[in-house]
Amino acid sequence: MPRDSSRRLLGGATPAQFLARHWQKRPLLVRGAVPGFAGAIDAHELMRLACDEHVESRIVVRGRRRNWQVLHGPFRPSAFRSLGERGWTLLVQDLNHHVQAAHDLLRAFRFLPNARLDDVMASYAAPGGGVGPHVDSYDVFLLQGPGIRRWRIGRQRDLGLVQGAPLKLLRRFAPTQEWRLGPGDMLYLPPSYAHDGTAMTACMTYSIGFRAPAWQELTSQFLAWLQDRVKREGLYTDPDLTPTHTPGRLGAGLIDRAAEQLARIRWSRADVSRFLGCYLTEPKPSVFFTPPAQALGRSVFERLAWRHGVALDRKSRMLYNGREIFLNGELEPLDGTAAKHLRALADAGSLRPGPDLRVSLSEPLYAWYRAGFIHLVTGVP
Ligand code: SIN
Ligand code: CO
């Protein structure tokens, strides 16, 4: 993104200034962050997407206190006809997987690490619609598409929830700031900042969300990962056993030796890096890749990749650390030259045409092409 549009996106701040002043610290309202922004999808297309079984979607209907309603997709087209004129919203996750224009929106946020990216969510709301006052555990950029949404926000200690409601609604919401956002305006919110967005007119909002792993989840996933990698030979022995009068007792000797064995479990920083690479690139359970209907033979693929370049599928997640390349939950062991090019693929999302694609990379690239993780850049299948 050219420097002045990246500055405009952040209200005149450079990415470094934005990170130092606002990221994880305080909100930022930017008027005209994306001038002339017309959105990535219209309401009818969003409704059509919400009828697809591979798309994660929800409808939230506003109610009093706990009488809100949450419906989960996929929906029938008729579901939208019965919603009425006011007070409902449709939310679609992972729009960047399904719509190229939403995927392209992420380019503007390339100053943030891919490891932190979650997704682009779109919400269409009828007048009065919204998901109510809540906090998120994510950093989020709320980019306004067509229509007007009023945001009320506040930093509050009391995060108690309305009991019995079908979604997380703050019991007491005490907003301290309020703005109306129109097309192209954007509001950045750090995690745990209370907020409530209500549609003033029918409107579309894009939430560009950045996840942060929760330590509890990360720890249990790491232990599961480690489980497949820890090898222990042998079994407990007790040739020194003496007669007992309390056969029900769990013996101290058994506990001590088991504790000693378990205390020998070790892992290195390299293990942590490998785990993180796999864990953070693991596709969500709802994600499916579509392999090419009629895969090209390897040599034709190589020739076309060389001539046109390749690009990651919109759903692919790719990270690297040195020579270790992670794609969609798998670690790919590679030699140095191949790793250099694949780091460029992870950073840029595509690889330029050229002989390198043929010489050093054809093996992993061809396997990824057949799995639907990457595509040839042209309209070739
Ligand atoms: C919405 O778009 O209605 C909700 C987005 C959010 O509050 O995070
Ligand atoms: Co929110």
Side-chain angles (χ1 to χ4, degrees):
M1 177 179 235
R3 188 180 291 174
D4 49 340
S5 37
S6 113
R7 282 223 173 186
R8 197 178 294 137
L9 182 82
L10 300 170
T14 62
Q17 288 165 339
F18 167 78
L19 291 175
R21 292 176 197 158
H22 295 277
W23 179 252
Q24 300 245 299
K25 300 167 198 76
R26 57 185 67 89
L28 175 66
L29 171 73
V30 183
R31 295 283 179 202
V34 183
F37 182 57
I41 188 168
D42 70 27
H44 289 287
E45 287 163 9
L46 195 72
M47 289 179 202
R48 203 170 321 129
L49 263 185
C51 297
D52 184 323
E53 60 171 324
H54 296 304
V55 175
E56 206 185 317
S57 61
R58 276 170 301 153
I59 291 173
V60 175
V61 185
R62 185 179 287 278
R64 278 177 177 275
R65 287 200 61 75
R66 73 174 80 148
N67 292 326
W68 289 61
Q69 235 187 312
V70 180
L71 309 164
H72 293 274
F75 297 101
R76 289 165 183 261
S78 57
F80 301 101
R81 289 197 281 276
S82 53
L83 286 170
E85 303 279 300
R86 293 189 59 83
W88 61 270
T89 180
L90 165 68
L91 305 111
V92 172
Q93 282 324 130
D94 297 310
L95 194 72
N96 50 312
H97 290 179
H98 309 298
V99 175
Q100 186 61 33
H103 180 76
D104 293 343
L105 265 185
L106 292 171
R107 273 178 206 283
F109 298 89
R110 294 254 311 264
F111 64 95
L112 294 163
N114 289 346
R116 291 282 266 110
L117 176 68
D118 187 30
D119 72 338
V120 178
M121 180 188 80
S123 66
Y124 170 75
V131 298
H134 65 282
V135 293
D136 294 314
S137 49
Y138 291 6
D139 297 83
V140 66
F141 295 86
L142 299 155
L143 174 60
Q144 186 57 34
I148 309 287
R149 188 184 285 266
R150 178 192 69 193
W151 285 101
R152 295 189 298 156
I153 69 166
R155 191 198 284 278
Q156 62 185 67
R157 289 243 177 96
D158 177 1
L159 299 181
L161 300 176
V162 175
Q163 293 297 310
L167 73 174
K168 288 184 177 167
L169 291 173
L170 289 170
R171 197 174 43 201
R172 274 183 284 276
F173 178 48
T176 50
Q177 282 172 295
E178 172 176 326
W179 302 283
R180 281 161 197 252
L181 270 64
D185 294 343
M186 187 175 76
L187 175 62
Y188 161 75
L189 290 177
S192 305
Y193 220 94
H195 56 287
D196 183 17
T198 304
M200 296 288 100
T201 65
C203 77
M204 188 81 85
T205 303
Y206 297 86
S207 301
I208 299 117
F210 288 83
R211 63 184 175 172
W215 292 131
Q216 178 60 50
E217 160 80 3
L218 190 94
T219 306
S220 28
Q221 292 295 330
F222 179 63
L223 291 176
W225 183 87
L226 204 60
Q227 179 177 306
D228 299 334
R229 284 153 185 89
V230 174
K231 292 274 170 293
R232 254 328 123 74
E233 299 295 333
L235 41 91
Y236 172 72
T237 57
D238 50 5
D240 49 354
L241 193 65
T242 53
T244 180
H245 301 294
T246 51
R249 174 179 290 166
L250 177 61
L254 174 53
I255 299 172
D256 289 344
R257 279 187 224 166
E260 202 178 286
Q261 281 294 325
L262 295 178
R264 286 190 203 164
I265 300 171
R266 291 281 177 273
W267 58 87
S268 62
R269 192 171 184 280
D271 290 323
V272 173
S273 164
R274 266 174 227 136
F275 155 71
L276 277 177
C278 295
Y279 170 62
L280 293 172
T281 60
E282 182 68 38
K284 292 184 191 175
S286 56
V287 168
F288 290 92
F289 291 92
T290 314
Q294 278 187 318
L296 301 168
R298 179 154 164 177
S299 58
V300 179
F301 169 81
E302 278 176 15
R303 218 172 34 246
L304 292 171
W306 181 7
R307 203 177 302 153
H308 303 290
V310 295
L312 286 176
D313 183 76
R314 288 194 294 259
K315 290 181 261 197
S316 280
R317 299 194 72 112
M318 190 174 192
L319 295 172
Y320 60 81
N321 182 16
R323 278 192 193 181
E324 292 182 337
I325 307 289
F326 307 94
L327 181 60
N328 299 331
E330 301 283 336
L331 164 64
E332 191 71 34
L334 291 159
D335 69 43
T337 323
K340 184 177 120 206
H341 293 292
L342 292 176
R343 287 197 289 269
L345 177 61
D347 283 333
S350 60
L351 275 181
R352 288 168 195 277
D356 289 330
L357 268 68
R358 191 164 188 178
V359 179
S360 55
L361 297 179
S362 100
E363 203 167 308
L365 289 184
Y366 187 59
W368 294 343
Y369 156 74
R370 295 202 57 156
F373 295 170
I374 63 165
H375 305 288
L376 289 163
V377 163
T378 58
V380 181

